[in-house]
Each structure stands twice: as C-alpha cells, then as structure tokens.
Amino acid sequence: MTARVEVARVRVIRASSRLARSEITAPMDRFAEYRGRRAGWYGGMDSVLVELGVDGLGSGAPVGLAVTQGGGAVAALLTEHLLPLTLGRRLEAVADIELLAEQLRLATHPYGSAGIAAMARSAIDIALWDLLGRLRSEPVYRMLGGDPSPMPVYATGNDIEHHRDLGFTASKVGLQYGPWHENGRARASDQIIGARARAGADHTLMADGWMGLDVPFVRSVSAALREAAFEWLEEPLPPDDQSGLALVAEVLGDVALATGEHATTHAELLLTARSGARVLQPDIAWCGGITAIRRLAAQLPPGVELTPHLSGTPWGLHVAAALPLVRRVEWYVESEPGEPLEAVQGPLTGGPLPSAGMISPREEPGLGIGVHAEFIDRWAGRAHTINAR
C-alpha cells in the first residue's frame, strides 16, 4: 500500500524568557535604543512545531516531528502555501523527500526562498525524514548511512564553570562587548583572557560575535583570541558581508573563522565556505533541513569543517552521525548553575542528553522523539490542522 502524507498540524510556541537574556553582542547594538535589549527587536523568537502523519495524528499513529523558528510568519507560510503542496504526496523513499524539497524551494522563489521561507521548508523536510524513519522502523542516522558512535559536544553559554560541572570539556562564549560599546575593545579582550583563566588550559574555547562586530574590532581583539588559544571566532559579521568575512579570516590568523548560522541558502553557504570560513555552521532547521545539509556537505571545499548550529538537536545528532565533515556538535546550555540539563523543558521529548561531554543519536525509529504534551498545553497557541484534499 502506498504511504502518503495525509494530515499536518502547526503550532506556534511562545519563546522562553531565557532566550531574551542579552549575554552577547548583537547586530542591533549599533543603535543605542536597542543596545543590550535583544527581546526589544528580535522578531521570530517564537518556535513552530510541525507534525506530519499518514494515518492521523492520534496516539499510536506514526507522526513526523520538527521544530523551527519564525513564529507566526513561518506558521502562515506553512499553512497557506507549503503544506497544501505537501499533503497527498507519496512517502516511501528518500527520493520522495528530495523531490519535494526541490519543488518547495522553487515554489518559494516568487517571494524569496531564504529566511522564513527556508525555515518553513526545513520544518517540513525534517518532519518527513522523521516520519519516513518511523514508517520504515529505522533511525534516521541509519537511513543516512551513519554510525551512532558517541560524538564530542561543546557547550554554548558564558558560564564556563557550569559547563565543566556538567561534564563538558569545550565551551563557546558569547562576546558581550563590540565596537558600539564604551571601551568595547578593551572589555572584550578582558573577557577573552578572563575566560581562558576560568577555563584552564585543558578546556577548549571558542567565541561568538553574533553579527555584532566589524573588521577593525576583530583586528583589535585578534591578539587576545590568539593569546588565549581560542579555536574560532564565530559569526563576527552578518552573512551578507562576504568581503568583510574574507578580511576577518585573514586578520584572525591561526584562529579559525566560523560562520553560516544565519545563511539560509545553498549558494550563500557555499560562497561563505569559499570566502575563508574554516568552520561552516548552517542551522539544519533554518537552511532547508536534512536534505539541504546532505547536499551542502557533498559540495564543500576541502579543509572546511561542517559544524551545524545547535546540532545537539535530535535531527542534528542524526546528521552528525552520518556526515564525516561533522566532528563535534553544539549544545546550548539553558540550565542555571546547579541545575541539570534536563531542568529546562522544550516542546519535544526523547532527545538524548550529553554525558561526560559526549552524545549519540537515539536508536528508535525516525528521530526517536515525541511531543511534550504538558509543555505544549502551556506554551503553544491554537493548532492549525490541515488535511489532504
């Protein structure tokens, strides 16, 4: 019997207040009224949960799951345009997912296939991979030809001591000062040197500029990054400043340029990799999903490491287990000092947690995840359910 995608449900989930904390410089810091106030300007913080089914969405039925961002704008694209093109489609092989991914990409060109359109397409793609794995009783990493051996994890956040207590041996800290802050260069250099002192010599460190720096600023702090043996500086400039990124790569020297989180098209990511980035960091839930990452990995130039943004997600782990270019994954630490990682809940259940700085994907069919009903009841808005015509 032919399996077809027959029903979809979309829910917008209000953003956690923890996401609004400003622990990192940002692109809008150049404007005084928004400086240090991420929640005052950052649209699309709300998450979007997508569920796809071939035989209803009730308990016991195989349902593919995915979460992306973009809030109501992405939900509207899904319900009004992309899901109607998805429902009724055959789902029996990976080729079915790949065909639909290309069709949805082309279908969004009239209004732009990047940004929120890419987020919406990513959610469909990830949910389809999850659903196909459930239908085939096979974990996604195996469908991708992967190996579930434990992989190293680095923690993202500014509390290095908390990371060490949780068993992490690597941390990525957010630079709190940029060119728009008073004495920003000196304060950023002090933060970098101080992070090394707190971490100790045996702890790997990276820094994130989250699009809030400029080339002269990077030049001024590059010596501190090298002195403190930081492995990379991440996303110092917005993704559309390719010439600036190329200059940053030269200025950094032995410190690698890592970027790509906010690049959401195949062409932009390839261009970034060819502009001097030694670590490419697309977000799987923003740049087209699992299908897009597989295609990108096959075309990257030699010497570029692929380290997807927030790759500790269930889909990120399955991708990391299958792509040799990925040699470590990222875990965003939201728990407070003294709290375990599981103290912070989300819309999905069943995702694995790091242990002693290592992690593996689940062995269950698909992505091995479920919906956290209590969390959804508290934080999600009205469900939009769409059936195949």
Side-chain angles (χ1 to χ4, degrees):
M1 180 177 177
T2 301
R4 297 187 181 278
V5 185
E6 296 292 341
V7 61
R9 182 162 55 203
V10 177
R11 286 183 275 197
V12 177
I13 304 163
R14 297 197 303 277
S16 163
S17 61
R18 302 191 188 210
L19 285 175
R21 295 181 304 190
S22 182
E23 293 185 338
I24 187 170
T25 186
M28 291 285 277
D29 279 354
R30 68 190 64 204
F31 305 109
E33 64 267 35
Y34 293 114
R35 195 165 299 149
R37 296 183 59 246
R38 178 175 175 180
W41 63 266
Y42 184 24
M45 290 180 70
D46 288 346
S47 298
V48 180
L49 170 65
V50 173
E51 301 167 80
L52 300 178
V54 296
D55 188 25
L57 299 173
S59 59
V63 177
L65 304 172
V67 173
T68 188
Q69 280 188 283
V74 164
L77 280 177
L78 287 165
T79 57
E80 299 297 328
H81 186 199
L82 300 182
L83 284 172
L85 296 175
T86 301
L87 297 180
R89 301 296 295 263
R90 184 180 66 184
L91 183 62
E92 295 181 334
V94 169
D96 297 327
I97 301 177
E98 293 173 335
L99 174 61
L100 181 60
E102 180 62 7
Q103 291 175 338
L104 294 183
R105 187 185 71 85
L106 294 174
T108 57
H109 271 308
Y111 50 80
S113 61
I116 59 173
M119 290 179 178
R121 292 187 288 105
S122 300
I124 293 174
D125 186 82
I126 293 168
L128 287 173
W129 277 94
D130 185 26
L131 180 55
L132 181 60
R134 294 171 193 259
L135 293 172
R136 292 167 52 161
S137 298
E138 190 174 6
V140 168
Y141 78 79
R142 191 176 301 154
M143 293 165 54
L144 293 167
D147 174 4
S149 299
M151 296 166 286
V153 192
Y154 67 90
T156 288
N158 282 4
D159 196 327
I160 299 170
E161 293 84 356
H162 182 36
H163 299 170
R164 293 183 68 100
D165 290 343
L166 292 170
F168 293 101
T169 60
S171 299
K172 183 183 73 180
V173 299
L175 294 182
Q176 296 171 291
Y177 310 102
W180 331 112
H181 296 90
E182 185 177 358
N183 298 321
R185 291 171 173 81
R187 296 165 81 182
S189 295
D190 288 345
Q191 183 191 356
I192 292 164
I193 299 301
R196 173 51 69 199
R198 289 161 51 208
D202 62 340
H203 196 86
T204 300
L205 288 177
M206 300 84 96
D208 189 351
W210 209 62
M211 305 177 288
L213 312 180
D214 60 19
V215 175
F217 186 90
V218 173
R219 182 178 289 109
S220 71
V221 300
S222 60
L225 289 167
R226 290 190 291 271
E227 178 185 342
F230 270 59
E231 190 158 327
W232 74 56
L233 174 62
E234 179 173 323
E235 208 176 26
L237 311 177
D240 59 353
D241 189 356
Q242 293 290 334
S243 60
L245 288 170
L247 289 174
V248 165
E250 294 179 9
V251 163
L252 286 174
D254 293 338
V255 178
L257 168 62
T259 192
E261 171 185 338
H262 290 96
T264 54
T265 69
H266 184 79
E268 189 175 24
L269 285 162
L270 276 181
L271 182 60
T272 299
R274 292 165 180 160
S275 295
R278 286 160 39 199
V279 181
L280 196 64
Q281 301 171 302
D283 191 301
I284 300 170
W286 300 351
C287 74
I290 294 172
T291 301
I293 285 288
R294 291 180 82 203
R295 179 184 173 216
L296 178 68
Q299 298 181 23
L300 288 181
V304 175
E305 177 186 343
L306 184 62
T307 306
H309 175 242
L310 296 182
S311 43
T313 55
W315 41 90
L317 294 178
H318 284 263
V319 167
L323 298 181
L325 290 179
V326 181
R327 60 184 182 89
R328 52 190 157 185
V329 299
E330 177 184 22
W331 190 275
Y332 179 52
V333 178
E334 292 186 80
S335 64
E336 301 288 350
E339 290 183 333
L341 291 172
E342 58 268 28
V344 179
Q345 297 180 331
L348 302 175
T349 62
L353 294 171
S355 177
M358 304 293 285
I359 198 168
S360 299
R362 294 289 193 200
E363 293 284 347
E364 291 82 1
L367 296 172
I369 54 177
V371 173
H372 193 311
E374 182 181 345
F375 184 92
I376 294 298
D377 288 344
R378 179 179 180 185
W379 296 105
R382 183 175 66 87
H384 301 269
T385 302
I386 307 169
N387 292 283
R389 295 185 179 91

